[in-house]
Amino acid sequence: MSLIDPTDTKTSWLAPEDIADVRDKVPIVYVEAVPVRCDEFGQVLQVGLLLRMMPDGTVSRAVVSGRVLYGETLRQALVRHLTKDLGPVAGAHVPPSPVPFTVVEYFPDPDLTGFYDPRQHAVSLAYVVPITGECAPSQDFLEIAWVTPEEATSLAVRSEMNGGQDKLLRRALAHVGRLP
C-alpha cells in the first residue's frame, strides 16, 4: 500500500471546463463530514461548523464537504477534505466503516429533495467524524465555530446554512442521539 498525501488534489482532478461538462451529464459523488467533539463515553458535546464568506458578501455556515476523486476511496476522500478544511492536526477519527449515516441527493431544483446545489446533481455520502485535535480552517473558511447540539439546531444557526445542510446537520444529530 502506498502512502498518499491527503491534501494532494493534482491527481484525477478535472479542469474547470471539464467538471462543468461532467456536471451537466452525470451526478457527482461527494463526501460530507459533520465534525464533532465527544466526551470519554462517545457522547457528542459540540458540533463544528465552518464559517465562510459567500460571493454575494453574506456569511454562511457549513460542514466539511467535497468531491470524491477518480480512483480515491471514500476514506481517502474524507481524510483529504477534513485535512484541507480543518487543518493537518485536527485529529479526525474517520469511521472504521465506509457506510455513511445518510445519503443525500443535491439537485439544481431546490424543491425536489430540499438539498440544493445550483451547479449540479450530486450524491453525497455523509459521516459524523469525531475531532480531537486543534483545527485551523483553510481554503475559503474564516473559522470553525464549536457549538452545542442545541445551538446547532437553533433557528439562528440553521438560517445561516445553505443548500439543505441544516437538514443534514439535524439528521447527523438524530443519528448520534443528540437531536434536541
Side-chain angles (χ1 to χ4, degrees), residues 106 114-117 161-166:
Y106 290 87
F115 292 95
Y116 173 64
D117 186 334
M161 300 183 85
N162 296 322
Q165 284 198 341
D166 59 319

Side-chain angles (χ1 to χ4, degrees), residues 84-101:
K84 176 180 63 80
D85 291 350
L86 302 181
V89 295
H93 295 270
V94 175
S97 170
V99 177
F101 75 86

Side-chain angles (χ1 to χ4, degrees), residues 53-69:
M53 187 65 78
M54 301 300 287
D56 65 0
T58 61
V59 175
S60 174
R61 295 190 187 273
V63 298
V64 173
S65 179
R67 292 192 310 251
V68 177
L69 300 178

Side-chain angles (χ1 to χ4, degrees), residues 8-69:
D8 179 16
T9 58
K10 290 180 179 57
T11 22
S12 304
W13 202 255
L14 295 173
E17 60 277 3
D18 294 334
I19 190 66
D21 188 46
V22 171
R23 282 179 169 148
D24 286 340
K25 294 179 173 88
V26 296
I28 305 296
V29 179
Y30 276 71
V31 290
E32 292 184 290
V34 177
V36 297
R37 295 218 187 261
C38 301
D39 66 14
E40 64 271 17
F41 302 107
Q43 184 172 352
V44 172
L45 301 175
Q46 295 179 313
V47 178
L49 297 175
L50 292 159
L51 195 63
R52 65 180 168 196
M53 187 65 78
M54 301 300 287
D56 65 0
T58 61
V59 175
S60 174
R61 295 190 187 273
V63 298
V64 173
S65 179
R67 292 192 310 251
V68 177
L69 300 178

